[in-house]
Amino acid sequence: MWKYRWYGLLVAWVAGAIGAVVVFTMPDRYEASARIYVDTQSILKPLMAGMAVAPNVDQQVSMLSKTLISRPNVEKLVRMADLDLKNQTKAEQEATIDRVTSELRIGSVGRDNLYTLSYRDRDPETAKRAVQSLVTIFIESSLGSSRKDTATAASFITDQIKTYEAKLEEAETRLKEFRLRNIQLMNGDGKDSASRLGELSTQLERARLELREATNAQAAAKARLESERTRGGGDSTTASLLQESAITISTPEIDSRLDSQRRNLDGLLQRYTEVHPDVITARKLIKDLEDQKRKEMAEQRKNALAAPPSMGGGNAGSLMAQELSRLIAGSEIQVAALRARVDEYSGRYAAALNAVKTAPQLEAEAAQLNRDYAIHKKNYEDLVARRESASISGDLDVASGVADFKLIDPPRANPKPVAPNRLLLLAGVLALALAVGVFTTFVGSQLRPVFHDAGELRLRTELPILGVVSRLVSDAEKRRARIDLVRFGVASGGLVAVFAVGLSIMAILMSKQVG
């Protein structure tokens, strides 16, 4: 590489000269900037908390600042700032958009919602117009985005409300049809089918017991009447018969009223619970009628025992026959009523038994229908509430705004150029020129290599070395070598010195501009 040092130095000088010319001919660029403060606090929002949806304004503004430099916005900015007046072709328009996109900057200062908007251009007034347009787009985009989001949300919620309203109507129709199909199996007293079946079983057994008692009393009265007719009876027989037949004494009128009230109680129990006032009143009336029945039966028994036995046997037998006939007639009425009650309870028990068999399926179907209806109703009510909340939120945004944009520093162009940094660029040119010179010597050494040592030659060629011819260097040649070295040093130092002087001059000029 040392052999080709002069070639490398020449290339370094040429590269340095070219780089310096390029640096000094680069046009100056001016920067315009503005600062905006976004106030996201509003007194209305805490007052409307819980009634309106409060969006995350900080996040919206932050996202807006990151997505503001988009192609549609840049195209709008180019038109607003008249940056496309000199464009004649589509390619020039695209180049302008790409250049503006690369020169626009939006920066956030800390966490205080303070944003800096800047743009660089060769003309300071053009840069100022671009920043002013960018400020306008920044404010308008935030307001338009908020209102568009509110309208979109309201439209979506309205569509969902219509959908769930149709679903709710369908669920109500299915539930109504199910209740109409199974209206005879619906219990209004809150009891399940098993409890209802047990209650009807108890009532049926009690009615059957009363029927057997009445039937036995009727049979006993008929047997006594038949015995009396066959043999006749005296006073003692009459008294004995009256005493024994006292157990068959009946009260048809009270029994009829009791049967009517018991039927009424059964109907009430199918609709109400035990603590309902009508149920309590019906049970109290039944108890009063039962007490009245016991009193009348005791009175009839007392009257029968106190009947005078002074009549003759024929008359006593006739009186006994009449009394037994009356008792038999009353017992027949009571038996007929009890048999009707047993038949009614038997029918109800059979129906309840069938209902118990189908109850699980009906209960599962009813639970499914009620669950679907409850879900659709809840979603419908929630959506209606959210629609009202979205409406209030939209009105709140219109009244208070998403945020208050305050222009802290209006758009202003720096009268002094901010680019290019010629001091830094010259230092880079020097480093690049030296690097190019070194690279040139390296390339020359690789293209035309020279061996300065016999051992290296033998290693590279892998051939035996027969001998080495030495060359004696004269004093004149040594003097020329020293002079050449001095020249190379001066030429190299001159390159560095020229750039050093240029850097110094640039530093002085820049310090004067700053001052």
Side-chain angles (χ1 to χ4, degrees):
M1 291 174 62
W2 179 253
K3 181 180 179 180
Y4 300 99
R5 63 187 179 277
W6 284 105
Y7 295 103
L9 182 60
L10 179 61
V11 172
W13 269 96
V14 174
I18 295 174
V21 171
V22 172
V23 169
F24 282 106
T25 57
M26 291 178 66
D28 293 333
R29 302 185 66 82
Y30 297 87
E31 184 179 68
S33 62
R35 287 197 304 166
I36 298 178
Y37 174 70
V38 183
D39 186 7
T40 58
Q41 302 299 324
S42 174
I43 188 63
L44 286 177
K45 292 179 180 178
L47 292 177
M48 299 299 292
M51 297 182 62
V53 178
N56 191 339
V57 181
D58 294 334
Q59 184 178 4
Q60 289 182 357
V61 175
S62 176
M63 184 60 65
L64 177 63
S65 66
K66 296 177 181 178
T67 59
L68 182 62
I69 305 178
S70 60
R71 185 177 180 86
N73 289 337
V74 172
E75 292 177 351
K76 184 178 180 181
L77 184 146
V78 169
R79 292 191 299 269
M80 293 175 63
D82 296 333
L83 301 180
D84 57 346
L85 295 180
K86 297 181 180 180
N87 296 334
Q88 300 296 330
T89 62
K90 183 68 174 178
E92 292 178 353
Q93 179 71 15
E94 292 294 329
T96 301
I97 293 174
D98 294 339
R99 177 174 55 82
V100 172
T101 303
S102 63
E103 294 295 339
L104 286 174
R105 296 288 185 273
I106 299 178
S108 176
V109 182
R111 301 176 59 185
D112 298 330
N113 289 336
L114 188 63
Y115 296 89
T116 300
L117 285 65
S118 62
Y119 177 73
R120 291 183 179 182
D121 194 86
R122 298 178 181 179
D123 183 15
E125 291 300 324
T126 302
K128 182 179 178 180
R129 291 198 307 271
V131 171
Q132 181 64 55
S133 302
L134 186 60
V135 169
T136 304
I137 294 174
F138 183 62
I139 297 175
E140 291 179 352
S141 298
S142 63
L143 297 177
S145 176
S146 173
R147 293 171 184 173
K148 182 179 178 181
D149 291 343
T150 302
T152 303
S155 176
F156 174 76
I157 293 176
T158 301
D159 294 339
Q160 292 298 312
I161 287 176
K162 293 180 180 179
T163 301
Y164 274 96
E165 187 175 3
K167 292 181 179 180
L168 186 61
E169 291 178 355
E170 293 177 1
E172 290 175 346
T173 301
R174 291 195 299 268
L175 188 60
K176 179 184 67 176
E177 292 175 354
F178 174 79
R179 289 176 177 175
L180 291 176
R181 288 196 308 269
N182 304 278
I183 190 171
Q184 71 278 6
L185 301 176
M186 297 296 177
N187 295 324
D189 53 0
K191 298 180 180 179
D192 57 5
S193 301
S195 301
R196 186 64 181 163
L197 181 64
E199 182 180 345
L200 288 174
S201 177
T202 302
Q203 294 176 352
L204 178 60
E205 292 299 328
R206 183 173 59 191
R208 287 174 176 173
L209 178 61
E210 293 178 357
L211 177 61
R212 286 195 298 271
E213 292 176 351
T215 303
N216 293 336
Q218 182 185 19
K222 287 181 178 181
R224 181 62 67 178
L225 178 60
E226 186 66 23
S227 175
E228 180 63 25
R229 286 176 178 175
T230 54
R231 65 179 183 175
D235 293 338
S236 59
T237 305
T238 301
S240 174
L241 180 59
L242 287 174
Q243 291 176 357
E244 293 178 1
S245 63
I247 60 172
T248 63
I249 294 175
S250 63
T251 53
E253 182 180 356
I254 296 178
D255 289 340
S256 178
R257 292 175 61 188
L258 275 173
D259 183 66
S260 176
Q261 289 300 325
R262 285 168 179 163
R263 291 176 180 270
N264 183 34
L265 178 60
D266 292 338
L268 292 175
L269 288 175
Q270 293 181 4
R271 292 177 293 170
Y272 307 116
T273 61
E274 294 287 345
V275 296
H276 194 275
D278 293 343
V279 175
I280 296 175
T281 302
R283 289 191 180 280
K284 185 175 182 301
L285 184 58
I286 290 174
K287 184 176 181 301
D288 294 339
L289 290 174
E290 290 176 349
D291 295 341
Q292 183 179 356
K293 177 181 178 180
R294 285 193 295 271
K295 291 180 181 179
E296 288 192 9
M297 291 178 66
E299 184 69 24
Q300 290 180 12
R301 187 182 299 109
K302 181 179 179 181
N303 292 336
L305 293 175
S310 58
M311 297 181 179
N315 292 334
S318 177
L319 180 61
M320 178 59 65
Q322 293 177 2
E323 183 65 22
L324 289 173
S325 297
R326 186 180 67 82
L327 291 176
I328 292 172
S331 63
E332 288 178 351
I333 296 174
Q334 185 178 9
V335 167
L338 290 174
R339 185 173 288 110
R341 184 185 301 176
V342 169
D343 294 339
E344 177 67 20
Y345 282 154
S346 297
R348 293 183 184 181
Y349 181 79
L353 185 61
N354 292 329
V356 169
K357 296 179 181 179
T358 59
Q361 180 180 357
L362 293 177
E363 290 175 358
E365 186 176 354
Q368 178 66 33
L369 292 174
N370 289 327
R371 182 166 57 251
D372 294 343
Y373 175 77
I375 292 174
H376 293 326
K377 183 178 180 181
K378 180 180 182 300
N379 292 336
Y380 176 78
E381 293 175 349
D382 291 344
L383 286 172
V384 171
R386 291 179 184 272
R387 181 181 62 182
E388 296 301 321
S389 179
S391 177
I392 296 175
S393 300
D395 296 339
L396 177 62
D397 290 340
V398 173
S400 63
V402 176
D404 186 12
F405 292 83
K406 298 179 181 179
L407 191 60
I408 304 300
D409 292 332
R412 175 180 175 274
N414 195 337
K416 298 178 182 179
V418 295
N421 189 348
R422 290 184 173 85
L423 185 64
L424 181 61
L425 290 177
L426 283 176
V429 168
L430 174 60
L432 180 62
L434 294 176
V436 171
V438 173
F439 180 74
T440 301
T441 60
F442 174 75
V443 172
S445 66
Q446 296 299 314
L447 293 177
R448 297 184 65 183
V450 176
F451 300 99
H452 298 276
D453 183 74
E456 184 181 359
L457 178 62
R458 184 173 55 251
L459 180 65
R460 293 292 185 88
T461 60
E462 297 182 355
L463 296 175
I465 303 299
L466 300 178
V468 176
V469 178
S470 300
R471 179 175 179 272
L472 296 176
V473 181
S474 63
D475 294 336
E477 290 177 343
K478 291 180 180 180
R479 224 177 9 257
R480 285 195 299 270
R482 285 195 297 268
I483 293 172
D484 184 73
L485 181 60
V486 171
R487 290 175 180 175
F488 181 77
V490 171
S492 301
L495 178 61
V496 176
V498 169
F499 274 93
V501 172
L503 292 174
S504 300
I505 295 173
M506 289 298 303
I508 294 173
L509 293 177
M510 292 179 63
S511 63
K512 287 184 177 180
Q513 290 180 355
V514 173

